[in-house]
Amino acid sequence: MAAEFRFGTYNLFNLGIPRTAEAKERYGRLVETVSEAFRDRRGALAVQEITGDRRIDASQVLRMFADDTGLVAQASRPRGRRIIPALASQHPGTCDSVRFHVALLWTPDVEAVPRTLRRYDGGVDLWHGMVTVMLDAGGPRPTKWGAYHANPFSPVRRLEEARRVLSAFQNEDEQGAIGADWNSLDASRRADGSRYDEDRYAGQRHRKLRFQVDFDPAHPDAPPVANRDAAVFLSQEPGGLHDIAPLLDVPWEATCGHWPDEQGRLDPFGPGRIDTVRATLRLARTAYAHTTHHGPDAEAASDHLLVTTDYDLSLLPATQ
């Protein structure tokens, strides 16, 4: 019998407690987008950019969002019985306060395995943070799921963070996936050798470009090229994490680039695909669908779109 499971990733764009009419309207769109995607489905969701000056503030936002979407976001600590939110926080040393947080939520018919919650707060290893938990999701054995948000400013740091992300998925007895705003392009190629994600930066010239590309010191006038080092590292076997969209060879779709800033200017990078789900190889092979959730409400809810991937967990072996 199939054990269908949906896993998604969604950057919620500076989501705090909505206090203005405009913020409440946008919040309602976020709730509707997630509720529709997980209606009558078993699954879990990775989110980024929950905001709060303290962890307790972000936890309040997470509880509100979980209640309004009908999801669950609490698990037991790795050592102890206290129930805490599945949330990791940016290190206070990286900004004026603990501003950004990542979190995991799941549907009520899914059980978190006790004492498997791991919170990797930002600091030495990570700019934002990462959280993982083992879920009893209906397959032959529990699987690991995670949320992460990559460094937006440094290709070098993104590669170092990729090493830390991959370290959380190196137990050969575990299969799992992580949803993230990777803040960079994937490196996968199609069967004909072409890039699944073309170099979106070709021909661009603006201040933010330096955070995404490599320049050739020997030829400073040469066009810069997209830095994909983190993606190359993550996908190496054995023990890699694989982007589901190119693996299934679904039509390319942007997950960001549609959102105007406060002056009405669009993203200088243009349309891009930086929100993806990466899975261990055995879990990736059970994936059968990948969806980017478009629509007027979704595009007005956040500067990123919700992305979901669907799996048949019954195809996983009962033992490694």
mmCIF file of all heavy atoms in Angstrom, residues 53-85:
data_model
loop_
_atom_site.group_PDB
_atom_site.id
_atom_site.type_symbol
_atom_site.label_atom_id
_atom_site.label_comp_id
_atom_site.label_asym_id
_atom_site.label_seq_id
_atom_site.Cartn_x
_atom_site.Cartn_y
_atom_site.Cartn_z
ATOM 1 N N ASP A 53 12.760 39.108 17.744
ATOM 2 C CA ASP A 53 13.980 39.537 18.427
ATOM 3 C C ASP A 53 14.481 38.498 19.422
ATOM 4 O O ASP A 53 15.642 38.517 19.818
ATOM 5 C CB ASP A 53 13.736 40.863 19.142
ATOM 6 C CG ASP A 53 13.595 42.016 18.157
ATOM 7 O OD1 ASP A 53 14.001 41.856 16.994
ATOM 8 O OD2 ASP A 53 13.079 43.076 18.557
ATOM 9 N N ARG A 54 13.582 37.619 19.862
ATOM 10 C CA ARG A 54 13.958 36.538 20.771
ATOM 11 C C ARG A 54 13.363 35.233 20.257
ATOM 12 O O ARG A 54 12.406 35.236 19.490
ATOM 13 C CB ARG A 54 13.435 36.822 22.183
ATOM 14 C CG ARG A 54 13.953 38.094 22.818
ATOM 15 C CD ARG A 54 13.216 38.366 24.109
ATOM 16 N NE ARG A 54 11.782 38.550 23.882
ATOM 17 C CZ ARG A 54 10.859 38.566 24.845
ATOM 18 N NH1 ARG A 54 11.218 38.368 26.108
ATOM 19 N NH2 ARG A 54 9.588 38.740 24.561
ATOM 20 N N ARG A 55 13.928 34.119 20.691
ATOM 21 C CA ARG A 55 13.385 32.824 20.277
ATOM 22 C C ARG A 55 11.922 32.682 20.701
ATOM 23 O O ARG A 55 11.102 32.144 19.971
ATOM 24 C CB ARG A 55 14.212 31.687 20.861
ATOM 25 C CG ARG A 55 13.896 30.335 20.209
ATOM 26 C CD ARG A 55 14.455 29.176 21.012
ATOM 27 N NE ARG A 55 15.883 29.199 21.154
ATOM 28 C CZ ARG A 55 16.729 28.661 20.284
ATOM 29 N NH1 ARG A 55 16.281 28.081 19.188
ATOM 30 N NH2 ARG A 55 18.029 28.692 20.507
ATOM 31 N N ILE A 56 11.594 33.210 21.873
ATOM 32 C CA ILE A 56 10.230 33.087 22.356
ATOM 33 C C ILE A 56 9.258 33.855 21.461
ATOM 34 O O ILE A 56 8.110 33.448 21.263
ATOM 35 C CB ILE A 56 10.123 33.550 23.829
ATOM 36 C CG1 ILE A 56 8.764 33.142 24.401
ATOM 37 C CG2 ILE A 56 10.354 35.045 23.953
ATOM 38 C CD1 ILE A 56 8.663 33.383 25.901
ATOM 39 N N ASP A 57 9.722 34.972 20.888
ATOM 40 C CA ASP A 57 8.875 35.732 19.969
ATOM 41 C C ASP A 57 8.621 34.936 18.684
ATOM 42 O O ASP A 57 7.496 34.882 18.182
ATOM 43 C CB ASP A 57 9.532 37.073 19.628
ATOM 44 C CG ASP A 57 9.763 37.937 20.844
ATOM 45 O OD1 ASP A 57 8.924 37.894 21.765
ATOM 46 O OD2 ASP A 57 10.779 38.647 20.883
ATOM 47 N N ALA A 58 9.678 34.334 18.164
ATOM 48 C CA ALA A 58 9.521 33.520 16.957
ATOM 49 C C ALA A 58 8.655 32.298 17.230
ATOM 50 O O ALA A 58 7.869 31.877 16.371
ATOM 51 C CB ALA A 58 10.893 33.086 16.439
ATOM 52 N N SER A 59 8.785 31.717 18.421
ATOM 53 C CA SER A 59 7.960 30.563 18.775
ATOM 54 C C SER A 59 6.484 30.930 18.789
ATOM 55 O O SER A 59 5.624 30.133 18.400
ATOM 56 C CB SER A 59 8.375 30.026 20.146
ATOM 57 O OG SER A 59 9.713 29.563 20.120
ATOM 58 N N GLN A 60 6.188 32.148 19.224
ATOM 59 C CA GLN A 60 4.794 32.611 19.218
ATOM 60 C C GLN A 60 4.274 32.716 17.796
ATOM 61 O O GLN A 60 3.136 32.315 17.504
ATOM 62 C CB GLN A 60 4.696 33.967 19.919
ATOM 63 C CG GLN A 60 3.284 34.517 19.985
ATOM 64 C CD GLN A 60 3.215 35.891 20.636
ATOM 65 O OE1 GLN A 60 4.225 36.446 21.061
ATOM 66 N NE2 GLN A 60 2.024 36.450 20.700
ATOM 67 N N VAL A 61 5.091 33.238 16.888
ATOM 68 C CA VAL A 61 4.692 33.325 15.479
ATOM 69 C C VAL A 61 4.478 31.925 14.907
ATOM 70 O O VAL A 61 3.496 31.670 14.198
ATOM 71 C CB VAL A 61 5.762 34.079 14.661
ATOM 72 C CG1 VAL A 61 5.382 34.091 13.174
ATOM 73 C CG2 VAL A 61 5.926 35.496 15.175
ATOM 74 N N LEU A 62 5.393 31.014 15.220
ATOM 75 C CA LEU A 62 5.286 29.649 14.713
ATOM 76 C C LEU A 62 4.019 28.972 15.213
ATOM 77 O O LEU A 62 3.314 28.300 14.439
ATOM 78 C CB LEU A 62 6.520 28.842 15.120
ATOM 79 C CG LEU A 62 6.558 27.384 14.668
ATOM 80 C CD1 LEU A 62 6.490 27.269 13.152
ATOM 81 C CD2 LEU A 62 7.810 26.687 15.209
ATOM 82 N N ARG A 63 3.704 29.123 16.491
ATOM 83 C CA ARG A 63 2.474 28.522 17.032
ATOM 84 C C ARG A 63 1.237 29.096 16.351
ATOM 85 O O ARG A 63 0.296 28.357 16.030
ATOM 86 C CB ARG A 63 2.401 28.748 18.538
ATOM 87 C CG ARG A 63 3.352 27.888 19.345
ATOM 88 C CD ARG A 63 2.977 27.885 20.824
ATOM 89 N NE ARG A 63 3.016 29.231 21.383
ATOM 90 C CZ ARG A 63 4.098 29.767 21.941
ATOM 91 N NH1 ARG A 63 5.228 29.078 21.997
ATOM 92 N NH2 ARG A 63 4.054 30.983 22.458
ATOM 93 N N MET A 64 1.233 30.397 16.133
ATOM 94 C CA MET A 64 0.119 31.036 15.439
ATOM 95 C C MET A 64 -0.037 30.469 14.028
ATOM 96 O O MET A 64 -1.150 30.113 13.604
ATOM 97 C CB MET A 64 0.362 32.547 15.374
ATOM 98 C CG MET A 64 -0.659 33.323 14.546
ATOM 99 S SD MET A 64 -0.165 35.063 14.301
ATOM 100 C CE MET A 64 1.260 34.850 13.196
ATOM 101 N N PHE A 65 1.071 30.376 13.300
ATOM 102 C CA PHE A 65 1.026 29.882 11.929
ATOM 103 C C PHE A 65 0.602 28.415 11.894
ATOM 104 O O PHE A 65 -0.180 28.003 11.018
ATOM 105 C CB PHE A 65 2.394 30.067 11.270
ATOM 106 C CG PHE A 65 2.406 29.849 9.791
ATOM 107 C CD1 PHE A 65 1.711 30.689 8.938
ATOM 108 C CD2 PHE A 65 3.130 28.804 9.233
ATOM 109 C CE1 PHE A 65 1.723 30.495 7.565
ATOM 110 C CE2 PHE A 65 3.155 28.601 7.868
ATOM 111 C CZ PHE A 65 2.449 29.450 7.031
ATOM 112 N N ALA A 66 1.098 27.620 12.830
ATOM 113 C CA ALA A 66 0.714 26.209 12.898
ATOM 114 C C ALA A 66 -0.780 26.081 13.174
ATOM 115 O O ALA A 66 -1.484 25.302 12.514
ATOM 116 C CB ALA A 66 1.525 25.499 13.980
ATOM 117 N N ASP A 67 -1.289 26.829 14.135
ATOM 118 C CA ASP A 67 -2.716 26.749 14.464
ATOM 119 C C ASP A 67 -3.576 27.144 13.270
ATOM 120 O O ASP A 67 -4.586 26.491 12.973
ATOM 121 C CB ASP A 67 -3.035 27.662 15.646
ATOM 122 C CG ASP A 67 -2.477 27.146 16.967
ATOM 123 O OD1 ASP A 67 -2.120 25.954 17.025
ATOM 124 O OD2 ASP A 67 -2.382 27.939 17.918
ATOM 125 N N ASP A 68 -3.184 28.198 12.567
ATOM 126 C CA ASP A 68 -4.024 28.707 11.482
ATOM 127 C C ASP A 68 -3.950 27.849 10.227
ATOM 128 O O ASP A 68 -4.882 27.859 9.408
ATOM 129 C CB ASP A 68 -3.624 30.151 11.152
ATOM 130 C CG ASP A 68 -4.018 31.124 12.257
ATOM 131 O OD1 ASP A 68 -4.925 30.785 13.048
ATOM 132 O OD2 ASP A 68 -3.429 32.218 12.330
ATOM 133 N N THR A 69 -2.870 27.105 10.045
ATOM 134 C CA THR A 69 -2.757 26.208 8.888
ATOM 135 C C THR A 69 -3.180 24.782 9.212
ATOM 136 O O THR A 69 -3.227 23.931 8.317
ATOM 137 C CB THR A 69 -1.316 26.188 8.357
ATOM 138 O OG1 THR A 69 -0.422 25.816 9.419
ATOM 139 C CG2 THR A 69 -0.918 27.549 7.791
ATOM 140 N N GLY A 70 -3.447 24.495 10.480
ATOM 141 C CA GLY A 70 -3.823 23.143 10.878
ATOM 142 C C GLY A 70 -2.650 22.197 10.975
ATOM 143 O O GLY A 70 -2.840 20.968 10.974
ATOM 144 N N LEU A 71 -1.436 22.749 11.111
ATOM 145 C CA LEU A 71 -0.239 21.920 11.208
ATOM 146 C C LEU A 71 0.265 21.878 12.654
ATOM 147 O O LEU A 71 -0.250 22.560 13.529
ATOM 148 C CB LEU A 71 0.850 22.459 10.273
ATOM 149 C CG LEU A 71 0.484 22.517 8.787
ATOM 150 C CD1 LEU A 71 1.637 23.113 7.982
ATOM 151 C CD2 LEU A 71 0.109 21.147 8.250
ATOM 152 N N VAL A 72 1.295 21.068 12.874
ATOM 153 C CA VAL A 72 1.899 20.874 14.190
ATOM 154 C C VAL A 72 3.370 21.269 14.083
ATOM 155 O O VAL A 72 4.009 21.018 13.058
ATOM 156 C CB VAL A 72 1.776 19.404 14.634
ATOM 157 C CG1 VAL A 72 2.484 19.166 15.967
ATOM 158 C CG2 VAL A 72 0.313 18.997 14.725
ATOM 159 N N ALA A 73 3.919 21.863 15.149
ATOM 160 C CA ALA A 73 5.317 22.292 15.079
ATOM 161 C C ALA A 73 6.041 22.082 16.401
ATOM 162 O O ALA A 73 6.943 22.832 16.742
ATOM 163 C CB ALA A 73 5.393 23.761 14.680
ATOM 164 N N GLN A 74 5.686 21.032 17.138
ATOM 165 C CA GLN A 74 6.318 20.787 18.428
ATOM 166 C C GLN A 74 6.845 19.366 18.505
ATOM 167 O O GLN A 74 6.233 18.440 17.990
ATOM 168 C CB GLN A 74 5.332 21.026 19.569
ATOM 169 C CG GLN A 74 4.931 22.494 19.713
ATOM 170 C CD GLN A 74 4.032 22.709 20.912
ATOM 171 O OE1 GLN A 74 3.102 21.951 21.138
ATOM 172 N NE2 GLN A 74 4.307 23.746 21.668
ATOM 173 N N ALA A 75 7.991 19.227 19.165
ATOM 174 C CA ALA A 75 8.610 17.917 19.351
ATOM 175 C C ALA A 75 9.361 17.932 20.670
ATOM 176 O O ALA A 75 9.557 18.990 21.277
ATOM 177 C CB ALA A 75 9.558 17.601 18.194
ATOM 178 N N SER A 76 9.802 16.751 21.120
ATOM 179 C CA SER A 76 10.535 16.682 22.383
ATOM 180 C C SER A 76 12.007 16.960 22.145
ATOM 181 O O SER A 76 12.532 16.767 21.055
ATOM 182 C CB SER A 76 10.354 15.310 23.031
ATOM 183 O OG SER A 76 10.869 14.294 22.195
ATOM 184 N N ARG A 77 12.663 17.414 23.175
ATOM 185 C CA ARG A 77 14.079 17.744 23.088
ATOM 186 C C ARG A 77 14.926 16.487 22.910
ATOM 187 O O ARG A 77 14.515 15.393 23.270
ATOM 188 C CB ARG A 77 14.519 18.479 24.348
ATOM 189 C CG ARG A 77 13.828 19.799 24.565
ATOM 190 C CD ARG A 77 14.494 20.582 25.662
ATOM 191 N NE ARG A 77 15.872 20.902 25.306
ATOM 192 C CZ ARG A 77 16.564 21.889 25.887
ATOM 193 N NH1 ARG A 77 16.008 22.617 26.821
ATOM 194 N NH2 ARG A 77 17.805 22.121 25.533
ATOM 195 N N PRO A 78 16.158 16.663 22.356
ATOM 196 C CA PRO A 78 17.051 15.499 22.204
ATOM 197 C C PRO A 78 17.329 14.789 23.525
ATOM 198 O O PRO A 78 17.390 13.574 23.579
ATOM 199 C CB PRO A 78 18.326 16.124 21.630
ATOM 200 C CG PRO A 78 17.876 17.375 20.973
ATOM 201 C CD PRO A 78 16.729 17.879 21.793
ATOM 202 N N ARG A 79 17.492 15.533 24.599
ATOM 203 C CA ARG A 79 17.753 14.936 25.911
ATOM 204 C C ARG A 79 16.762 15.544 26.900
ATOM 205 O O ARG A 79 16.953 16.651 27.388
ATOM 206 C CB ARG A 79 19.197 15.202 26.348
ATOM 207 C CG ARG A 79 20.217 14.473 25.492
ATOM 208 C CD ARG A 79 21.635 14.788 25.947
ATOM 209 N NE ARG A 79 21.956 16.180 25.682
ATOM 210 C CZ ARG A 79 22.410 16.620 24.513
ATOM 211 N NH1 ARG A 79 22.543 15.774 23.498
ATOM 212 N NH2 ARG A 79 22.688 17.892 24.351
ATOM 213 N N GLY A 80 15.706 14.826 27.152
ATOM 214 C CA GLY A 80 14.700 15.331 28.071
ATOM 215 C C GLY A 80 13.304 15.155 27.507
ATOM 216 O O GLY A 80 13.121 14.749 26.364
ATOM 217 N N ARG A 81 12.317 15.503 28.308
ATOM 218 C CA ARG A 81 10.939 15.264 27.929
ATOM 219 C C ARG A 81 10.163 16.534 27.619
ATOM 220 O O ARG A 81 9.006 16.472 27.264
ATOM 221 C CB ARG A 81 10.229 14.500 29.051
ATOM 222 C CG ARG A 81 10.842 13.131 29.320
ATOM 223 C CD ARG A 81 10.129 12.410 30.445
ATOM 224 N NE ARG A 81 10.710 11.105 30.682
ATOM 225 C CZ ARG A 81 10.307 10.275 31.637
ATOM 226 N NH1 ARG A 81 9.321 10.647 32.448
ATOM 227 N NH2 ARG A 81 10.887 9.097 31.790
ATOM 228 N N ARG A 82 10.796 17.703 27.776
ATOM 229 C CA ARG A 82 10.071 18.939 27.564
ATOM 230 C C ARG A 82 9.735 19.116 26.083
ATOM 231 O O ARG A 82 10.566 18.894 25.211
ATOM 232 C CB ARG A 82 10.904 20.133 28.051
ATOM 233 C CG ARG A 82 10.154 21.447 28.032
ATOM 234 C CD ARG A 82 10.845 22.445 28.947
ATOM 235 N NE ARG A 82 12.197 22.757 28.502
ATOM 236 C CZ ARG A 82 12.493 23.791 27.704
ATOM 237 N NH1 ARG A 82 11.531 24.571 27.249
ATOM 238 N NH2 ARG A 82 13.739 24.020 27.368
ATOM 239 N N ILE A 83 8.515 19.536 25.800
ATOM 240 C CA ILE A 83 8.068 19.752 24.433
ATOM 241 C C ILE A 83 8.446 21.170 24.016
ATOM 242 O O ILE A 83 8.141 22.142 24.711
ATOM 243 C CB ILE A 83 6.545 19.550 24.318
ATOM 244 C CG1 ILE A 83 6.168 18.144 24.772
ATOM 245 C CG2 ILE A 83 6.083 19.798 22.895
ATOM 246 C CD1 ILE A 83 6.801 17.034 23.966
ATOM 247 N N ILE A 84 9.125 21.293 22.875
ATOM 248 C CA ILE A 84 9.552 22.595 22.394
ATOM 249 C C ILE A 84 9.263 22.707 20.902
ATOM 250 O O ILE A 84 9.093 21.697 20.212
ATOM 251 C CB ILE A 84 11.056 22.830 22.651
ATOM 252 C CG1 ILE A 84 11.890 21.775 21.923
ATOM 253 C CG2 ILE A 84 11.366 22.842 24.129
ATOM 254 C CD1 ILE A 84 13.377 22.037 21.994
ATOM 255 N N PRO A 85 9.212 23.936 20.375
ATOM 256 C CA PRO A 85 8.955 24.101 18.940
ATOM 257 C C PRO A 85 10.130 23.629 18.103
ATOM 258 O O PRO A 85 11.293 23.738 18.522
ATOM 259 C CB PRO A 85 8.733 25.613 18.802
ATOM 260 C CG PRO A 85 9.437 26.211 19.957
ATOM 261 C CD PRO A 85 9.305 25.220 21.077
#
